[in-house]
Amino acid sequence: MTLVATPLRDIAKVVRSKNAGPFEITLDIIFKSREDYDAVKASGVITRELVSSLYNVPTQAIITFGFFDLVNAVKITLPRPRPQGGVGETDMHAAQQHVPLQEIRVPWPAS
């Protein structure tokens, strides 16, 4: 089987970010099937260290990072770079913060 570096956006059912209060942002990656979830989890590509580098947040500052088998999802909570609605804050609803996750490349079977 040939594996190709495939963007996460082409594998996951949902890749989203949302407001989690004035000081936090939540990122969710939800998969269509248990098989897709298990394959991405087993690839070892999505790590706390990767999230740290994508979002320029020290690994110890990541509030939540976990694979949740029951719902085929990855959940990540990060501190906001600036308080919600504060001076210089540019995404009050945190609706655009998921984009770096979409571009993660995962080894995936060629179609």
Side-chain angles (χ1 to χ4, degrees):
M1 174 187 328
T2 304
L3 298 179
V4 179
T6 303
L8 189 59
R9 70 176 179 270
D10 294 344
I11 301 167
K13 179 179 180 180
V14 174
V15 181
R16 68 181 177 202
S17 56
K18 56 188 177 178
N19 179 37
F23 305 108
E24 297 175 0
I25 294 170
T26 293
L27 305 165
D28 297 313
I29 306 167
I30 305 168
F31 295 89
K32 298 173 205 165
S33 69
R34 183 59 183 247
E35 293 77 22
D36 289 353
Y37 167 79
D38 285 340
V40 171
K41 182 178 177 181
S43 76
V45 171
I46 300 173
T47 63
R48 183 180 286 268
E49 292 73 23
L50 176 63
V51 171
S52 171
S53 80
L54 288 174
Y55 289 92
N56 197 28
V57 173
T59 55
Q60 65 272 20
I62 296 172
I63 298 160
T64 304
F65 177 89
F67 288 85
F68 294 88
D69 298 344
L70 189 61
V71 292
N72 302 331
V74 181
K75 181 138 187 117
I76 303 159
T77 306
L78 304 173
R80 283 180 172 272
R82 293 183 176 89
Q84 180 184 25
V87 174
E89 196 266 332
T90 59
D91 188 5
M92 191 156 156
H93 300 290
Q96 304 303 314
Q97 302 307 309
H98 63 284
V99 174
L101 292 179
Q102 293 184 133
E103 300 306 318
I104 294 171
R105 299 295 200 251
V106 178
W108 203 251
S111 23

